Amino acid sequence: MVLPPEQVRTFLAVAQSLSFTQAAATLGLGQPTVSQHISKLEQAVGRPLLVRDTRSVTLTVDGEAMVGFARSILAAHAQAADYFSAAGVRGRLRFGVTDDLALTQVPRILRQFRHLNPGINLDLSVSQGVHLQRRVESGHLDIAFLKSTAGDGWGRLVRRDRLVWAAAEGTGLQWAGERPVPLIVYPAPSPSRALAVQKLEQAGIRHRVVCTVRGVNAALAATRAGLGLGIFTRSLLPGDLVELPVGAGLPELGDIDLVLLTNPHAPAQPVEALTTAILAHTHRIHPLHGEPSRAGGTGPRPAAAG
């Protein structure tokens, strides 16, 4: 069985966005080409990978399995290309990442990336997403891995996750019922802060900021100390904090995207090498510390995709 990398890459883009239109825009292809790639890949494996109609795209069970295979295929293809290249990819790459993502598997990704691409000098910056975005736009960063409001269309989608309300064990329902609701937030502008405030205001629930934090460790510390409610990406929620259940009386926060922003003037080969490495290894993002989180104090549950 031969699975051409271009077809695999197209499938992965569709699987991540669940949209042929968005995948075509991300890859710079026409939508008929995207459909053709998917059809040929399904013919090659002999099974349907996607169920699509006029309104939605969903993965079949075999499609879910193919996502993992696709990441491995692309990573292996990039590794082989680097190995058999006369000199390998060379250059300087300025990479930025938010601190919460930097505490997950990003160090392992970068370690493997450096091993496979010794000719690339990697400069790493860790900061709040809005600062990374500005640095990409001003040309001071080549590529950044950060969170963005779901569906806003900028950047390359790595995966979609969900924002949740979280608290120290035994304090969640207390804070959820308090008015105004006490919030632990990042400085504005912040996607999680903006979304939380928007949802509370739409629900007619008063809120107050009890703690403004500059980094994820401070957010974790303030939430663990029981100062108020924190707002975290579900897949990054550590096991000693509790996700508030839907019945706690607070509005659902909705989704957030993990995206890669690229400066159009950045060196193409180093950027593509790092992009491939990140896409190949972010099928499972682990919690910030410890075991998966607990929802509503009902016991352990697996971390959702993030």
Side-chain angles (χ1 to χ4, degrees):
M1 182 187 302
V2 178
L3 304 179
E6 63 272 14
Q7 295 176 15
V8 173
R9 187 174 291 107
T10 299
F11 166 76
L12 194 56
V14 174
Q16 289 165 344
S17 62
L18 296 179
S19 166
F20 277 62
T21 301
Q22 188 169 334
T26 298
L27 298 173
L29 300 175
Q31 195 163 333
T33 302
V34 171
S35 298
Q36 184 182 57
H37 283 182
I38 298 300
S39 296
K40 287 184 176 179
L41 188 62
E42 290 179 323
Q43 291 171 13
V45 301
R47 301 182 189 181
L49 302 175
L50 298 167
V51 177
R52 46 207 184 271
D53 55 32
T54 56
R55 293 179 296 177
S56 65
V57 177
T58 57
L59 290 165
T60 65
V61 172
D62 292 317
E64 293 279 2
M66 178 56 78
V67 170
F69 296 139
R71 296 182 193 278
S72 299
I73 290 168
L74 293 179
H77 184 267
Q79 184 175 357
D82 288 342
Y83 180 86
F84 289 106
S85 171
V89 179
R90 296 188 175 274
R92 178 190 178 204
L93 189 63
R94 300 165 300 172
F95 173 53
V97 62
T98 56
D99 59 351
D100 51 354
L101 293 173
L103 291 176
T104 59
Q105 79 268 45
V106 169
R108 177 173 56 84
I109 293 173
L110 295 183
R111 185 165 58 248
Q112 184 173 2
F113 173 79
R114 291 287 294 118
H115 175 72
L116 296 176
N117 300 276
I120 297 179
N121 294 320
L122 187 67
D123 294 345
L124 177 64
S125 298
V126 179
S127 185
Q128 192 177 354
V130 64
H131 301 310
L132 297 176
Q133 177 191 351
R134 290 170 181 165
R135 294 190 67 193
V136 170
E137 292 172 347
S138 66
H140 291 90
L141 283 177
D142 299 310
I143 184 171
F145 187 23
L146 46 82
K147 299 188 293 296
S148 168
T149 303
D152 67 6
W154 50 281
R156 181 166 183 172
L157 180 66
V158 175
R159 67 178 303 119
R160 182 160 289 175
D161 206 339
R162 181 161 288 266
L163 285 178
V164 297
W165 303 102
E169 186 149 13
T171 67
L173 295 180
Q174 169 193 340
W175 294 137
E178 183 170 315
R179 297 294 182 269
V181 176
L183 301 182
I184 299 165
V185 295
Y186 290 101
S190 157
S192 60
R193 176 178 181 153
L195 194 55
V197 169
Q198 177 190 17
K199 296 292 185 179
L200 289 171
E201 290 180 345
Q202 288 175 347
I205 298 174
R206 294 181 299 118
H207 67 276
R208 61 190 174 98
V209 173
V210 295
C211 188
T212 302
V213 295
R214 294 283 176 182
V216 67
N217 282 328
L220 290 169
T223 308
R224 285 169 175 149
L227 301 183
L229 292 178
I231 303 154
F232 294 93
T233 306
R234 174 182 279 168
S235 64
L236 303 183
L237 188 64
D240 59 343
L241 295 180
V242 177
E243 176 185 340
L244 269 65
V246 175
L250 294 179
E252 292 190 53
L253 291 171
D255 294 333
I256 197 160
D257 288 345
L258 308 183
V259 301
L260 289 169
L261 293 185
T262 303
N263 184 322
H265 304 295
Q269 285 186 310
V271 165
E272 184 59 29
L274 182 57
T275 298
T276 298
I278 291 174
L279 292 176
H281 292 284
T282 50
H283 56 285
R284 183 185 176 196
I285 291 185
H286 302 281
L288 293 167
H289 303 287
E291 296 299 317
S293 60
R294 288 174 288 176
T298 57
R301 66 164 178 78

